[in-house]
Amino acid sequence: MTFPDQGHAPAGAARTAPLPVPPAPAAYPEHVPAARGPVGEVPAPRAKPGRDRYLDLLRAVALVRVVVFHLFGWAWLTVLFPSMGVMFALAGSLMARSLARPAGSVIRSRLRRLLPPMWAFSLVVVPVMFALSWKPVREEGLWWFVKLGSYLFPLGSPPYPEESGSTGGWLELSWADQAVGPLWYIRAYLWFVLASPLLLKAFRRLPWATLLAPVALTAVIGTGLVTVPGTFGEGLLDFAVFGSCWILGFAHNDGLLKEIPRYLAVSSAAIVMGFGLWWASGHLTEEGWNLDEIPLAQATWSLGFCAILLVYAPSWQKLPGRLAGWDSLVTLANNRAVTIYLWHNLLLMAAAHLVDELWNIPWFGDTFDTYIEQSYEVLILIAIWPLIGLAILAFGWVEDVAAKRRPRLWPNGAARTGGSRRA
C-alpha cells in the first residue's frame, strides 16, 4: 500500500488526496458568460436551482481514485486522473460563487464546514498517539504546544511521532505518519479560503496573469531554484502547485471559459499538459510517473486536465443514462467528502489487518493461502468500502452539524420531497 507523507512534494509526499472538499452548497451555478462591467467588477453569474451533477460526479471519481492510489500505489493514476487538481478546481468554482456575499461571512462559513470534521478526526488520532508513549514535550520542549495548534487551525503541519505502535501489531510503526498525511489537504484548502477574496479581485482585474502566476511560482520554488524551508515552505509549495486549478474554478464560475473558442481552449490546455509530461519525463522519481512528487509537472498537467474537464462541463441537473444508477453513491460521496478523505488512510490499514486475519481462520487459511496472497490488495479494496461506510455512520454527521443541517446518518439523496433531492 502507498500512503501520503506529510510535507512538500519533493520530499516524497503523495499528493492525492482529498479530499477532499467540504460539503458543497445546495445549489451549483449554471455557468454562463458573465456580463462585463467596469474593470474589476464582474457580476456573479446567474444560477439555476439544483446541484450540478457533473461536478458531483467528478468529485466522487476523484475520491475513489484517491483510495485506489493509496492502496495500489500505481503512479500512472496521477496522470490518468489528477484528483487533487480536480478537487481544488471544483472548490475554487464554489468559492467564487459564494463570494457574491460579503467575504467575511463566506470565510466563516467555509471554516465552520471544514474544521469540525478535522477536530473529530484529531480527537481520535491524537489521544492514540499519546497512549502509545508519544512524549513530544520531552523531545521538543514547550514549543510543541504551539505546533499542536495545527490540529485546531491547520495553518501549518501538525506534529506526530515518526514511529509509534509496534512492528506486526494492529498499529504498525508508521501508522501516525499515514493517518496524519491527509491533513496537508486541509491546510492547503484553508490557505486558499483565506486568500480567495484577494485572489478573486486579482483574477477579475488580470485574469490570465493571476491564473498563471501559481505555475510561475511553482517553477521557482518547486524545482529547487529557490528553497523555502520549514512548514511555511511546505504550505507555500502546495499553494503554488494547485493555485492555478483553484483560480481556474474562478474562471469556470465567471463564465470566462465559455467565452474562449473551444478549439483554442483545448489546444492550449493540451500544450500545457504536454509540457507537464515533458518535464516529468526528465524528473522521474523512484516511483516513476508519480506527478505527486514532481511539483511543476503536477501543476501544469492538472491545470490543463481541469481546463478540458470544465470547458466541456455539461451542467447536468441529473446523471444521464447508465450513470443514473450511481446517483445515490455519488450523492453520498459528495455529502461525506471530508469524512471519506480524512479517514480513508486509517481504514486502509484496518482493512489490511482484516485480510491478514483470513490466514488465522482454521482450515480456510491453510486451504486458500495462495489465493489470499495473490489477491491480497484486491481483498483490501473490497474490505475498505464497508469500513468507509462505518466511518460515515460514526463520524459523517459532524459534517451536517458543521453546516448547520439536521444530522443524517446516510445522506445518499434517497429521500425526496416534492421531487427534489435532499442534499
Side-chain angles (χ1 to χ4, degrees), residues 268-281 300-301:
S268 299
I271 292 172
V272 173
M273 294 169 70
F275 171 82
L277 291 183
W278 171 79
W279 183 264
S281 68
T300 50
W301 177 263

Side-chain angles (χ1 to χ4, degrees), residues 160-314:
Y160 60 90
E162 292 187 4
E163 291 189 354
S164 180
S166 60
T167 303
W170 275 91
L171 291 175
E172 58 188 68
L173 291 177
S174 64
W175 80 270
D177 178 44
Q178 297 174 28
V180 173
L183 296 185
W184 79 268
Y185 176 84
I186 306 297
R187 177 190 64 200
Y189 191 95
L190 178 62
W191 280 42
F192 283 125
V193 166
L194 296 177
S196 281
L198 292 178
L199 287 177
L200 187 58
K201 288 182 179 180
F203 170 75
R204 286 174 174 170
R205 287 182 178 274
L206 299 169
W208 299 113
T210 306
L211 178 65
L212 297 177
V215 174
L217 181 60
T218 304
V220 174
I221 67 173
T223 61
L225 185 63
V226 174
T227 300
V228 182
T231 297
F232 178 75
E234 296 171 2
L236 184 63
L237 181 57
D238 293 332
F239 186 87
V241 169
F242 297 106
S244 289
C245 291
W246 185 274
I247 296 168
L248 185 69
F250 294 171
H252 177 241
N253 176 77
D254 285 0
L256 180 62
L257 298 179
K258 300 296 184 183
E259 297 179 357
I260 306 172
R262 182 170 289 182
Y263 75 90
L264 180 60
V266 173
S267 59
S268 299
I271 292 172
V272 173
M273 294 169 70
F275 171 82
L277 291 183
W278 171 79
W279 183 264
S281 68
H283 298 81
L284 298 179
T285 67
E286 294 180 357
E287 298 179 13
W289 292 81
N290 185 355
L291 300 189
D292 293 338
E293 299 184 7
I294 313 172
L296 185 57
Q298 175 76 286
T300 50
W301 177 263
S302 295
L303 174 60
F305 191 95
C306 292
I308 293 175
L309 288 180
L310 295 180
V311 162
Y312 283 95

